Amino acid sequence: MDTIVKTIHVGFAKPFGCHSCRMNKLCIPLALGSDELDKLDQLNALVQRKNPLQPRDGVFFSGDPFTSIYAVRSGSIKSFCIDTDGREQVTGFYLPGEIFGWDGLANDHYQNTAIALETTSVCEIPYDQLDKLGSAIPSIKKYVMKLISHELNADQRLIALLAGKSAHQKLASLLLSISDRLVVQGLSPRRLWLPMSRGEISNYLGMTVETVSRALSHFQRNNYLHVNKKDIEILDKQALRSLLISSDDTE
Amino acid sequence: MDTIVKTIHVGFAKPFGCHSCRMNKLCIPLALGSDELDKLDQLNALVQRKNPLQPRDGVFFSGDPFTSIYAVRSGSIKSFCIDTDGREQVTGFYLPGEIFGWDGLANDHYQNTAIALETTSVCEIPYDQLDKLGSAIPSIKKYVMKLISHELNADQRLIALLAGKSAHQKLASLLLSISDRLVVQGLSPRRLWLPMSRGEISNYLGMTVETVSRALSHFQRNNYLHVNKKDIEILDKQALRSLLISSDDTE
DNA sequence: AAATCGACCTGATATAGGTCAACTCAGGGT
DNA sequence: ACCCTGAGTTGACCTATATCAGGTCGATTT
């Protein structure tokens, strides 16, 4: 079944390659320099577009052998690990154009599990092939390093958030981060749809669902946001930003 | 050995190269395979041993252009960043044999500042040279990727700690981590000297100095530890471990 | 040796956020 | 139409940890 899907994929022409991908300005091709088309073709050749995933479908699971990194084409992904006491810890949310799966590099097995939050399609990029391409094309190699390092920086931002910020600050920070990432996709920075549940948000931010819910209500009361379930409209971005720069959390 | 002759021949007087380094089983040379000596020589040629650092001396500062990664030879390093509201956030402690500085890769500038916690010596490994060596020797390249990815995993462990654990659990986890890392160095897992202050511990773990202090006292009262300032003796490692696996924090 | 200083510890009190419980609401299945 | 279930919200209460305010100790200066 799974194999059938695969063979169909390999056999088909690729009508929707990197050339036509909405996300190709965000994804790997950013590394391209002068001889763009040529490189894009090479990339295109190694990227495998996968069947759309349904909500809760997994891309890879903790313990699976590491083979590939993945790019979100549409939809969204959450990654999480199970820590020492069996608790699930969400380690990241990935939106279209973003790349995930690097954590498997350390010991050839994924540490995290990655699942779709909604109907999602991803591109698989086999790591050994990417690596080979990187050896041939320095700009690709450099870009790969930047992608990993970017992930490191994201983790460190999260660490600073978790270690030092109040519940309101954490939530504001997440909302602003998502908003910024929507802008990169060319979407509105004001209207956002949260693909994850309150529970997933609270887990990611190290707090409880109730606190997330109350913080959202609080922001709504203060006209920072309009909240309708997972639909958020940012009414006063400056107010949210100022929560982060001053440690003043009042009002 | 003849290697020393070789390095002298090249023009550098390196009487204490990677060959003789106590940490060479932990550091980059781990990547070495069959033709070890040859590779070690190449590594040795690019590693620059620096003058010993005094406490508080910086290795690199946030904003400096990224040039190199560093290995701790002796002593210890803390890295920290300044977040949006100007607060310092400790992002890592590095012990002998450990490698730091990867965070600069993302945008060619270090995000963190790295300073010595005590009298410390580090080796500088220029990244572009390491990269070249990686291109020539696949096992080196692979090992470099593993090192970065290891850093990613460490950050994710910290995220899980910060997001989900109590003060006692966080502190126990740090102590056990340091203990484990001492073992790797071939030192006793029971006696440990904390090179960082209570304030640095508390900042790293997202809590206050007072809570760190009380937690240490608590562990001492329960005979998990014997605490004498920065000198810690682990009396009941199993008790500390069990704090982490069950969410039961009582007693 | 008196004074100063910084790191650390401890006790009393305050509070942010956790816990528990009740409720609403939107699907989905029968 | 009905119940069920799970997600989200809200309120009342509680507790882990922050905050504030003294302390001790050891090193350094005078």
Side-chain angles (χ1 to χ4, degrees):
Chain A
M1 156 89 163
D2 195 43
T3 356
I4 292 171
V5 170
K6 212 162 195 171
T7 46
I8 288 174
H9 259 270
V10 182
F12 261 56
K14 288 180 179 165
F16 304 114
C18 294
H19 285 91
S20 67
C21 179
R22 279 209 305 109
M23 292 302 138
N24 72 12
K25 285 292 182 298
L26 302 177
C27 188
I28 307 266
L30 254 191
L32 304 178
S34 48
D35 41 352
E36 291 199 12
L37 284 184
D38 205 38
K39 291 179 190 168
L40 195 50
D41 281 339
Q42 292 182 63
L43 264 173
N44 201 37
L46 73 83
V47 171
Q48 297 172 16
R49 272 144 296 277
K50 314 274 283 188
N51 275 348
L53 297 156
Q54 295 309 306
R56 306 281 120 189
D57 282 354
V59 180
F60 53 77
F61 296 86
S62 174
D64 283 358
F66 171 72
T67 57
S68 307
I69 58 167
Y70 296 85
V72 181
R73 199 169 157 81
S74 66
S76 51
I77 294 287
K78 87 163 170 178
S79 72
F80 63 93
C81 57
I82 306 297
D83 74 20
T84 41
D85 59 359
R87 209 183 57 93
E88 171 178 325
Q89 175 62 47
V90 176
T91 51
F93 298 117
Y94 298 89
L95 304 184
E98 298 175 350
I99 293 183
F100 62 98
W102 293 115
D103 70 285
L105 214 46
N107 33 6
D108 298 321
H109 293 270
Y110 295 104
Q111 305 293 304
N112 289 291
T113 295
I115 71 169
L117 288 170
E118 55 191 315
T119 304
T120 296
S121 75
V122 301
C123 295
E124 178 177 359
I125 305 163
Y127 179 70
D128 55 351
Q129 291 179 48
L130 179 61
D131 195 43
K132 267 183 213 133
L133 193 57
S135 300
I137 307 173
S139 68
I140 296 272
K141 176 196 219 163
K142 192 162 185 207
Y143 192 64
V144 167
M145 297 308 281
K146 277 190 191 281
L147 283 172
I148 303 181
S149 181
H150 182 269
E151 189 74 19
L152 262 176
N153 291 348
D155 282 351
Q156 294 205 348
R157 267 194 302 279
L158 181 55
I159 287 168
L161 202 61
L162 291 169
K165 304 298 178 74
S166 72
H168 285 179
Q169 290 176 312
K170 290 184 202 174
L171 188 61
S173 177
L174 176 62
L175 294 172
L176 290 171
S177 161
I178 292 177
S179 166
D180 289 348
R181 289 146 76 191
L182 292 177
V183 171
V184 174
Q185 287 177 54
L187 302 175
S188 162
R190 312 209 152 251
R191 292 210 138 271
L192 39 122
W193 166 266
L194 300 176
M196 67 296 279
S197 71
R198 299 289 193 267
E200 287 160 335
I201 292 173
S202 69
N203 180 292
Y204 178 68
L205 295 176
M207 52 210 239
T208 58
V209 252
E210 292 92 331
T211 302
V212 170
S213 186
R214 279 188 256 268
L216 284 172
S217 302
H218 173 87
F219 288 161
Q220 174 149 252
R221 267 197 306 284
N222 287 54
N223 287 109
Y224 298 170
L225 303 176
H226 182 258
V227 182
N228 182 10
K229 312 201 71 186
K230 299 186 163 194
D231 227 326
I232 308 280
E233 184 174 8
I234 297 180
L235 302 173
D236 188 350
K237 185 173 278 195
Q238 196 44 55
L240 292 176
R241 283 224 189 81
S242 66
L243 280 182
L244 301 185
I245 55 177
S246 82
S247 39
D248 180 32
D249 200 14
T250 56
E251 190 228 8
Chain B
M1 265 182 16
D2 61 343
T3 1
I4 293 173
V5 173
K6 201 167 191 175
T7 48
I8 289 172
H9 191 262
V10 184
F12 291 92
K14 285 180 180 169
F16 304 114
C18 293
H19 286 91
S20 68
C21 180
R22 278 208 305 108
M23 292 302 138
N24 72 13
K25 286 290 180 300
L26 303 178
C27 188
I28 307 266
L30 256 191
L32 304 178
S34 49
D35 39 353
E36 291 198 13
L37 285 183
D38 206 38
K39 292 178 190 169
L40 195 50
D41 281 339
Q42 293 181 63
L43 264 174
N44 201 37
L46 73 82
V47 171
Q48 298 170 16
R49 273 147 295 278
K50 314 275 284 188
N51 279 345
L53 298 157
Q54 295 310 306
R56 306 280 118 190
D57 282 354
V59 180
F60 53 76
F61 296 86
S62 173
D64 283 358
F66 171 72
T67 57
S68 307
I69 58 166
Y70 296 85
V72 181
R73 197 170 160 80
S74 66
S76 52
I77 293 287
K78 86 162 172 180
S79 72
F80 64 93
C81 58
I82 306 297
D83 74 18
T84 41
D85 58 1
R87 210 183 56 94
E88 171 177 324
Q89 176 61 48
V90 176
T91 51
F93 298 117
Y94 299 89
L95 303 184
E98 298 175 349
I99 293 183
F100 62 98
W102 294 115
D103 69 285
L105 214 47
N107 34 8
D108 298 321
H109 292 270
Y110 295 104
Q111 305 291 306
N112 288 291
T113 295
I115 70 168
L117 288 169
E118 55 191 314
T119 304
T120 297
S121 74
V122 301
C123 295
E124 178 176 0
I125 305 162
Y127 178 70
D128 56 350
Q129 292 180 49
L130 179 62
D131 194 44
K132 268 183 212 132
L133 192 58
S135 300
I137 308 174
S139 66
I140 297 272
K141 177 195 216 162
K142 194 165 183 203
Y143 192 63
V144 167
M145 297 309 280
K146 277 193 191 279
L147 283 173
I148 303 181
S149 182
H150 182 269
E151 188 75 20
L152 263 176
N153 291 348
D155 282 352
Q156 294 204 348
R157 269 194 301 281
L158 182 55
I159 286 167
L161 202 62
L162 291 169
K165 304 299 179 71
S166 72
H168 285 179
Q169 290 176 312
K170 290 184 201 173
L171 189 61
S173 176
L174 176 62
L175 293 173
L176 290 171
S177 161
I178 291 177
S179 166
D180 289 349
R181 289 145 76 192
L182 292 176
V183 171
V184 175
Q185 288 177 52
L187 302 175
S188 161
R190 312 207 153 252
R191 293 209 137 271
L192 40 121
W193 166 266
L194 301 176
M196 68 296 279
S197 72
R198 301 289 192 268
E200 286 160 334
I201 293 174
S202 68
N203 179 293
Y204 179 67
L205 296 176
M207 52 209 238
T208 58
V209 252
E210 291 92 333
T211 302
V212 170
S213 187
R214 279 189 257 267
L216 284 172
S217 303
H218 173 87
F219 288 162
Q220 175 148 252
R221 267 196 306 281
N222 288 54
N223 287 106
Y224 298 170
L225 302 176
H226 182 258
V227 182
N228 181 9
K229 312 200 70 184
K230 298 186 162 193
D231 227 326
I232 308 277
E233 184 174 9
I234 298 180
L235 303 173
D236 188 350
K237 186 174 276 195
Q238 196 46 53
L240 292 176
R241 282 222 190 82
S242 68
L243 280 182
L244 301 185
I245 55 178
S246 81
S247 39
D248 178 30
D249 200 13
T250 56
E251 191 228 7

